[in-house]
Amino acid sequence: MRTKIPLLVCLVFGIMMFGQYFSAHPIAKAVYNNILEWWQIIFAFTLLVGVASFARNSLRNISQRKEPIHRSIALAGLLVMPVLALIGGTKTGSPFLWSFQNMLAPMQSTVFSLLAFFVASASYRGFRARTIPATILLVTALIVLIGRIPLAELISQSFPKITFWVQDYPSMAARRAILIGIGLGSMTTALRVILGIERTYLRGE
Amino acid sequence: MEIGTIIAGILTLAIYSFLYRDNPVYKAAESWLIGLSIGYALVVFWQSTIIDILIVPLFSEWRIILIIPLVLGLMMFSRFSSKTSWLSRIPIALMIGTGAGVAIPAMLYARTLKQMSASIMPLISENGTPNIEALVVLIGLLSTLAYFYFSREHKGVIGNAAKLGTYFLMIFFGATFGYTVMSRMSTFIGRVDFLLTDFLHLIK
Amino acid sequence: MVPVVLLVLVLRESVCAAQIEGQSPGWFNTDTTATLVFSFISLVIVLYAILSVRSGRRFKIREIPGLKAVDEAIGRATEMGAPILYTPGWGGDIQRPTTIASMNILSSVAERTAEYDCRLIYPTHDPVIMAVAQEVVKEGYAKAGYPDRFKPDDIFYISSSQFGYAAAVDGIISRIKPASIFLLGTFEAESLIMAETGNSIGSIQIAGTDSTIQLAFFIVACDYTLIGEELFAASGYLSQNESTLASVKAQDMIKILIALFIIAAMIWATIRPLSTWWKF
Amino acid sequence: MERLRTRWIIFLGLAAVVVISYTMNLPFKTSASPATEKAYKYIETLPESSVVIISFDHEASSLPEIQPIALAMLRHVFRKNLRVIGLSLFAEGTAIGYEMLNRTAGECNRNYGRDYVFLGFKPQYISAILGLGESIRRVFPEDYPGNKTDTLAIMRNIDTYDSVRMVISIADGDRTMQWIEYAGARYNQKVMAGLTAAMITSYDPYLSSGQLFAVVGGLRGAAEYELLYGRRAAGNRGMLAQSGAHAYVIALIIIGNIIFFRSRRRKREG
């Protein structure tokens, strides 16, 4: 019963949503609209559960003295935003938006900008033309790195055109094959999930 | 200078301290970041979905059918005790089944059929000269597909085709690597702009 | 019972919604014919592959270079008496396909490290992945006949923060200098930090993921890289999981059809440039 | 320890190159790439008060790179007096999109509710994209500030993609693919993108097949768009530093490989 019902729900909703793609009938459309709305609502609850389990793990770690300071800072951050939203709402000028713009966004983009440094250090140490494939990769990378800055036009007017040619034909052809591969992979996985053959999503409770 | 910019500047430098070494100041800033981002997401989800398309329509417009997604949503909370956690499988199954159902036609049409027909071009153009681009796309596509063909060993014709496919893949990964370096540098330049203009007022 | 009730309620509410709109029912939308035909062909091929695997037929998958290197990497670690480090990356939760594929490979790596009595270290960013990984490695050690060699403390949770996790793994690599490093699973920007550090201390690195951006870094910094679909095929090859093998076989068959279609349509378009039957 | 010292030297070198070249504010002419030009020309030819959806499909982490692109396109769209429906399919993109929309609308003194609206965010993005094809009001009964969508002047005769000329997805990941694969495939909706540079090669097949109308990519794309639009801003401002950073990385790759080949030759001879 614990496995039969979920598999049946998955089958029923999978077939309905697959079938409605091919129909223009108003009933099919209305069924489709309802399910889209349910999907949105349940998905939001999934994220609420995620937030609740983060809070629970943080509290448990604090009580077990595992990195208590950092966990309580994180918990404080988790509580600050909803409290600010309750007090001042979320419109322009609200403390909620203020703390997003002056704390969350700057830190998030700074963490991401760290990668510029790691790319530079890896470029010096890690990226060796050890094999033919690695050499092709590095040469293409240089064609793009040079071609997409004004330096290219100083070398020759047609340099950017070379970069675009490499990007629009050989690189695009390989990417298209990857896309087709992923497309087929997603399709077979979706079929196995709907037919109840692939059940990994039931694990990990 | 505005208090917000000062705080943003200090937090930016706290994060950059990681470049020297992983240190408590960085760890504190990052924990604060993790907490804020989860708290922010909680507010935005709550308002945009739970309130807007569940509570308001259900309790003020009386769309009774919304009781079903409400109950299914609450069943997600059953995950917190091992005795009842199997109940969460039903809403998860609904989401995964729905996602799989809409994915099949999208993957087959937009990602396979459309890409196949976009690759079809006459091999000889109107003025009789060979169409190099069409040839490169055809060879690149088929040889890369050969690389991702698993039913036969990479020997003989398939082996050579797959090797050629590797080279096309390397061109794609090389171009992606070049553009990714470009992306990371732009992000760093954006932070340098903030530090030099807004925070330190060194330049206009 | 529950799904039937759900279905009836949805249909009932949809029928009244449809009557309000009052459109004439046209069941099939003819614009989607091509997709329907292709869906039907794909469904038949996948079902054929699954049923034939179920009825005992074994599909052979070609040898994957990255996987041959797994034995080589474990052998090297045993000779040097140095540990092996295995990371599933920071990017995924347990339900992501790449994380599941990584678990399948982990279980066969665990069997081999049990046999050679070589230490296997597995740092992760997600408590659920840690729990499942401990289960998988324990089963691997038991299957190899050395349950006592399994050390649960070597499979541990570090931190959910991206760079906190990368920095911690960076520190572990620099300190214990693993002979071989496996980076298989779901990666984001942190891949670069770990692969570069592993490269700089000279360990054999085998990577595999489906994110094209991280693959570009792995290919240059690691010795062997499983590219996208290869990771899924490798996990099927090692686990001999029926449905994965059937899927790989079905996808191969469809790829042949696609290649034949493209070649035929290309020749046709060259002879008759104005033809359009191949346009979707 | 020696490894850490080299790493710090490389870090300091990058910081120096970028900071110095950023302070030297040298304007220079860059030729526009075909994809950027196509995006600009399309918006330039749209008749007044045509409706466009602008979706902020990115996180705060890529803000420094994505903001110049978004601002350049938003200024152009508002200067052309188009009707703009803003929304976001990423939680963090919501606050960013709301702020950028208000800022650029203010610059061209467009007013909220009549010329532009910001509908806010929906977590399940495929359900939202498909839902907009059926009824925008049903997916977004209220806008981000909380007004009833029905009461907004701009939304009067708009309820599905039929009244939307173009969806512009400002993205740092694969969310634009979902616009293409769900809105494009099922509702024939035209889709254009402003992308971080890292995502450009991943979208080339859609650009070549026409499923994606045009792309404005990276800081370089923003700089090109600003020149077409006629107002230099953050994109052009960063171009010299971008060139400096690229030259620095190119040098590191070349030097690294020279050292590698020399040590390999010594090993063979030794």
Side-chain angles (χ1 to χ4, degrees), chain C residues 159-200:
Chain C
S159 129
S160 60
S161 109
Q162 176 173 20
F163 286 95
Y165 176 71
V169 172
D170 206 32
I172 294 169
I173 292 173
S174 318
R175 263 194 324 278
I176 59 161
K177 296 205 179 345
S180 314
I181 299 174
F182 297 136
L183 304 114
L184 298 162
T186 313
F187 287 84
E188 289 191 11
E190 81 290 346
S191 65
L192 178 68
I193 302 170
M194 299 193 276
E196 194 244 314
T197 306
N199 183 298
S200 68

Side-chain angles (χ1 to χ4, degrees), chain D residues 185-257:
Chain D
R186 186 176 175 119
Y187 300 100
N188 270 318
Q189 175 56 47
K190 250 193 172 60
V191 178
M192 184 199 286
L195 297 171
T196 53
M199 293 313 297
I200 289 171
T201 50
S202 299
Y203 282 95
D204 281 331
Y206 293 105
L207 208 51
S208 129
S209 70
Q211 290 167 276
L212 182 58
F213 182 79
V215 164
V216 178
L219 199 66
R220 171 69 193 241
E224 291 167 6
Y225 204 95
E226 286 163 10
L227 289 178
L228 293 169
Y229 170 77
R231 169 179 163 177
R232 288 174 184 277
N236 274 274
R237 185 67 203 282
M239 256 302 123
L240 189 62
Q242 188 85 40
S243 307
H246 283 211
Y248 184 70
V249 169
I250 291 163
L252 285 175
I253 291 176
I254 291 169
I255 295 166
N257 275 282

